[in-house]
């Protein structure tokens, strides 16, 4: 029996150039797929009244260490160098599979609550084979669309993060692939979260890239961030190893040389930028316009909730403000006009939705309200005082809205948030993540 849901009479921002914006439009969902977008759709369906709502595609977070939800806010003043010591060398080795499950459950629900319908879970917490199982189980239970990026263990910085000779265990990645990801068409897909050159010796780098390509899964890697990784020239090293390709997402990219930007663009690589982390923790200026200038379609990501908020509204504004501040300062210093090609509020919405789907390799499924795509849809309450009255709907979302305004969330056509409340057992998720916090703090104190 066909299951139909009709989102009626909202201000639809489709992010599809052929459909455009509909100040009063409907979205019809059939069996998890967007069947039609337009005014006055008539269908036998469950009706969700979107009057006073702005209807958009779900946000796509292309890089989040979801396992860190248990230690949210533990390093509010951290720099990148602090993070390696205070988080990866202190808390990460203490994580049990139960901690990973609790954090991924709470973290994925946090995403849904904030209108993030797709997340790339950069899971560098696989201290035992049970850790990835726990992470994947939690993601599956929440109903979020996720790319699970299998990463390294975190037992010590010396072993795993500086000229490491220890590779991600290929046999376990193959086990995970066979057990959970026999098809690439599900809500959950698989990627490999690699450390890359400078962090690993060349043999390890080559083996991890080779593993991903053997399995036909995308690769995601941190590059060009801060004084540390900015020195490595990681993209140039990957080029020397013959490993560049369109299957790789490069995260941060703050300290790329012009040569490295060209290499990424020419190889078909993609870019994920985490603006709040980059400006706050010392990675460098978020290179959103730099990526665009090189013909790339940058996406946004949250990165670490140990230090920054976990919502996309924050990332949009951090990128928008930082880029415009940088360009304005440079133009004023040079006494030249500010170019008209600066970022706009609407373009930021495109970056947070359609570009994110592109970077995650899911643009055929999500990122826009296009008939045939899966129904990942968010409705923003535009009647709230921090948004009303609306003059520009895209600007209302990117510059005015916050998590409290996320009224309705659908993933694959399933309602995950209705009337401002998640449909999940939030009390259980909070209890588990608080118990995980307490256990981790006790284990840290006992060291």
């Amino acid at each position: 029996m066909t299951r139909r849901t009709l989102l009626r009479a909202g201000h639809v921002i489709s992010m599809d150039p052929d459909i455009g914006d509909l100040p009063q439009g409907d979205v019809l969902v059939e069996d998890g797929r967007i069947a039609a977008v337009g005014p006055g759709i008539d269908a036998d369906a469950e009706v969700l009244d979107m009057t006073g709502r702005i209807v958009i595609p779900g946000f796509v977070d292309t890089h989040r260490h979801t396992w860190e939800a248990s230690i949210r806010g533990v390093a509010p003043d951290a720099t990148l160098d602090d993070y390696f010591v205070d988080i990866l060398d202190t808390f990460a080795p203490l994580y049990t599979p139960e901690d990973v499950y609790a954090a991924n459950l709470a973290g994925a629900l946090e995403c849904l609550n904030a209108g993030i319908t797709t997340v790339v879970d950069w899971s560098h917490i696989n201290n035992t084979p049970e850790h990835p199982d726990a992470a994947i189980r939690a993601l599956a239970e929440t109903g979020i669309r996720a790319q699970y990026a299998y990463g390294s263990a975190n037992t010590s910085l010396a072993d795993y993060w500086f000229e490491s000779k220890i590779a991600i265990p290929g046999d376990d990645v193959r086990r995970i692939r066979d057990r959970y990801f026999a098809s690439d068409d599900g809500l959950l897909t698989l990627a490999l979260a690699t450390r890359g050159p400078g962090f690993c010796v060349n043999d390890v780098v080559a083996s991890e890239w080779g593993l991903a390509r053997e399995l036909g899964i995308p690769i995601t890697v941190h590059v060009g961030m801060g004084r540390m990784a900015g020195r490595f020239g990681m993209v140039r090293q990957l080029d020397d190893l013959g490993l560049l390709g369109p299957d790789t997402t490069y995260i941060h990219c703050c300290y790329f040389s012009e040569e490295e930007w060209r290499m990424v663009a020419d190889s078909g690589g993609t870019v994920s930028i985490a603006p709040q982390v980059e400006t706050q923790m010392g990675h460098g200026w978020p290179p959103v316009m730099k990526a665009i200038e090189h013909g790339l379609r940058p996406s946004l990501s949250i990165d670490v909730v140990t230090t920054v908020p976990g919502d996309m509204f924050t990332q949009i504004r951090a990128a928008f403000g930082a880029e415009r501040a940088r360009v304005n300062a440079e133009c004023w210093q040079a006494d030249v006009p500010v170019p008209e090609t600066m970022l706009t509020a609407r373009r930021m919405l495109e970056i947070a939705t359609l570009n994110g789907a592109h970077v995650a390799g899911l643009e055929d499924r999500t990122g826009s309200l296009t008939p045939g795509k899966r129904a990942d849809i968010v409705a923003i309450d535009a009647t709230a005082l921090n948004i009303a009255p609306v003059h520009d709907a895209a600007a209302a979302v990117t510059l005015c809205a916050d998590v409290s305004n996320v009224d309705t969330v659908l993933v694959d056509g399933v309602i995950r948030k209705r009337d401002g409340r998640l449909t999940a057992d939030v009390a259980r998720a909070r209890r588990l993540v608080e118990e995980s916090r307490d256990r981790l703090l006790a284990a840290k104190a006992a060291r």
Side-chain angles (χ1 to χ4, degrees), residues 71-114:
I71 48 175
R72 177 190 312 281
V74 76
D77 305 314
T79 64
L80 176 61
D81 291 348
D82 295 334
Y83 171 82
F84 272 88
V85 175
D86 297 344
I87 305 302
L88 298 186
D89 205 36
T90 300
F91 279 105
L94 305 176
Y95 263 70
T96 66
E98 291 74 23
D99 295 317
V100 174
Y101 172 81
N104 264 35
L105 185 71
L109 290 177
E110 174 191 8
C111 288
L112 293 171
N113 190 55

Side-chain angles (χ1 to χ4, degrees), residues 72-338:
R72 177 190 312 281
V74 76
D77 305 314
T79 64
L80 176 61
D81 291 348
D82 295 334
Y83 171 82
F84 272 88
V85 175
D86 297 344
I87 305 302
L88 298 186
D89 205 36
T90 300
F91 279 105
L94 305 176
Y95 263 70
T96 66
E98 291 74 23
D99 295 317
V100 174
Y101 172 81
N104 264 35
L105 185 71
L109 290 177
E110 174 191 8
C111 288
L112 293 171
N113 190 55
I116 295 170
T117 56
T118 301
V119 63
V120 176
D121 179 21
W122 219 98
S123 190
H124 57 334
I125 192 61
N126 292 324
N127 301 343
T128 72
E130 289 73 34
H131 282 62
D133 293 276
I136 294 165
R137 185 170 76 254
L139 293 173
E141 288 179 12
T142 65
I144 197 168
R145 190 179 303 280
Q147 184 181 87
Y148 175 74
Y150 190 117
S152 61
N154 261 302
T155 56
S156 75
L157 287 181
D159 287 342
Y160 282 93
W161 284 99
F162 296 100
E163 294 296 322
S164 176
K165 296 179 181 179
I166 302 174
I168 293 173
D171 287 347
D172 199 53
V173 180
R174 293 183 188 94
R175 176 186 69 84
I176 290 295
R177 172 70 156 163
D178 292 343
R179 181 168 183 179
Y180 299 106
F181 303 101
S183 168
D184 293 323
D185 298 328
L187 268 179
L188 303 186
T189 55
L190 183 63
L192 199 71
T194 62
R195 291 154 292 169
F199 292 114
C200 301
V201 299
N202 285 346
D203 286 349
V204 169
V205 175
S207 71
E208 293 185 350
W209 254 255
L211 173 65
R213 287 168 179 168
E214 169 202 329
L215 297 176
I217 59 177
I219 300 160
T220 174
V221 60
H222 300 88
V223 293
M225 69 281 196
R227 292 174 298 167
M228 186 188 310
R231 290 197 305 263
F232 294 163
M234 295 171 73
V235 174
R236 177 176 42 76
Q237 290 192 59
L238 288 170
D239 184 55
D240 290 343
L241 294 169
L243 297 176
L244 296 183
D247 55 357
T248 304
T249 295
Y250 303 91
I251 302 165
H252 299 308
C253 313
C254 302
Y255 281 90
F256 269 7
S257 65
E258 286 296 316
E259 177 189 33
E260 288 183 300
W261 279 115
R262 289 193 298 270
M263 286 176 175
V264 169
D266 291 346
S267 67
T270 57
V271 169
S272 173
I273 296 169
Q276 184 67 37
V277 156
E278 289 154 8
T279 54
Q280 184 173 325
M281 295 179 69
H283 295 55
W285 284 106
V288 175
M289 278 307 301
K290 198 72 172 176
I292 292 171
E293 288 164 3
H294 282 85
L296 294 157
R297 296 171 59 190
S299 64
L300 299 179
S301 63
I302 275 70
D303 200 346
V304 295
V305 297
T306 58
T307 311
V308 304
D311 66 280
M312 191 60 71
F313 303 105
T314 294
Q315 304 307 322
I316 288 170
R317 287 161 202 165
F320 191 61
E323 184 60 32
R324 292 176 71 94
R326 182 189 66 79
V327 173
N328 278 322
E330 289 180 358
C331 290
W332 294 342
Q333 185 68 30
D335 196 22
V336 297
V338 175

